[in-house]
Amino acid sequence: MSTTQTPPVLAAELAQAWADIQRYHSELPDLAAPESLIGESSSACGHELSFERLLHEAVHGVAAARGVRDTSRAGRYHNRRFLAIAEELGLDHPDEPHPSSGFSLVALTPEAKRRYRPTTERLQRALKAHSAATAGDTARSFRGPAARHGSSGGGVRVKAVCDCGRNVRVVPSVLAQAPIVCGGCGKPFRIPETVASAAS
């Protein structure tokens, strides 16, 4: 299997798994860029890409659709509003909140494991194939900013603004993949020139 073909295949499987979640939770928005999850790691959201991690991201999607602020501390601390939605989607957090990440480390409930078993198995096969295909990468392969800096989400997040004054924190490479549109004014978020030149 070619390494150049694997990311689109894995991205398609991620999109299909997301659609499987949407069947049970119709308010979940579409996943704009499934390939942005590939290779991403975060101590707050789980180190490895898995269905459990995808369901965690879906919790954030539902929270965004509802206008619920489910995190604080630059997205690291997952609060009880996050936990309430996580429980709706089939995730559980049996312990007390972690001091720095809150209720971020959630696990599939037995019912969710049964419900999503075919999805989980299909995604695991795609992840295994992706890992096998990329294991042959040489030291000369370019792995992107996440590998260079050891950071989550592919790099340092910067402030992007829209014309109505709202702002979001985003990794510049994610914003470069496709516009992120403001729900308030309908215009795309952009990184101000001063921030963009400082980041390069």
Side-chain angles (χ1 to χ4, degrees):
M1 184 180 293
S2 165
T3 57
T4 58
Q5 293 176 344
T6 304
V9 169
L10 181 53
E13 289 296 344
L14 286 165
Q16 181 58 53
W18 192 266
D20 291 349
I21 299 167
Q22 285 178 312
R23 268 191 278 147
Y24 295 98
H25 305 282
S26 58
E27 67 185 311
L28 177 63
D30 291 339
L31 182 60
E35 61 277 1
S36 68
L37 295 171
I38 300 170
E40 212 177 272
S41 69
S42 168
S43 57
C45 302
H47 291 285
E48 293 182 6
L49 183 54
S50 64
F51 180 75
E52 196 167 77
R53 167 93 186 285
L54 192 65
L55 200 55
H56 174 121
E57 296 300 333
V59 173
H60 292 302
V62 170
R66 293 179 183 175
V68 171
R69 186 171 177 185
D70 63 340
T71 63
S72 58
R73 302 180 196 165
R76 288 185 305 275
Y77 191 87
H78 294 58
N79 59 35
R80 289 191 184 277
R81 291 183 292 273
F82 170 86
L83 182 59
I85 298 171
E87 288 171 350
E88 288 178 43
L89 270 66
L91 292 168
D92 191 20
H93 188 285
D95 304 321
E96 289 298 308
H98 186 275
S100 62
S101 62
F103 296 100
S104 68
L105 298 177
V106 287
L108 285 166
T109 62
E111 181 185 341
K113 284 180 183 176
R114 284 190 298 275
R115 173 185 291 169
Y116 293 113
R117 180 172 282 122
T119 303
T120 303
E121 290 172 354
R122 195 178 61 240
L123 185 58
Q124 280 304 109
R125 284 193 299 273
L127 287 165
K128 188 175 179 181
H130 176 73
S131 295
T134 56
D137 285 356
T138 67
R140 294 179 48 86
S141 297
F142 179 72
R143 303 300 295 160
R148 287 198 315 276
H149 303 297
S151 60
S152 68
V156 177
R157 287 169 168 74
V158 298
K159 183 165 76 170
V161 298
C162 72
D163 290 344
C164 70
R166 297 177 74 210
N167 63 71
V168 295
R169 302 294 266 171
V170 64
V171 177
S173 62
V174 171
L175 190 60
Q177 292 172 7
I180 298 174
V181 180
C182 174
C185 69
K187 302 245 172 107
F189 284 94
R190 59 184 167 67
I191 299 172
E193 293 301 318
T194 54
V195 175
S197 57
S200 48

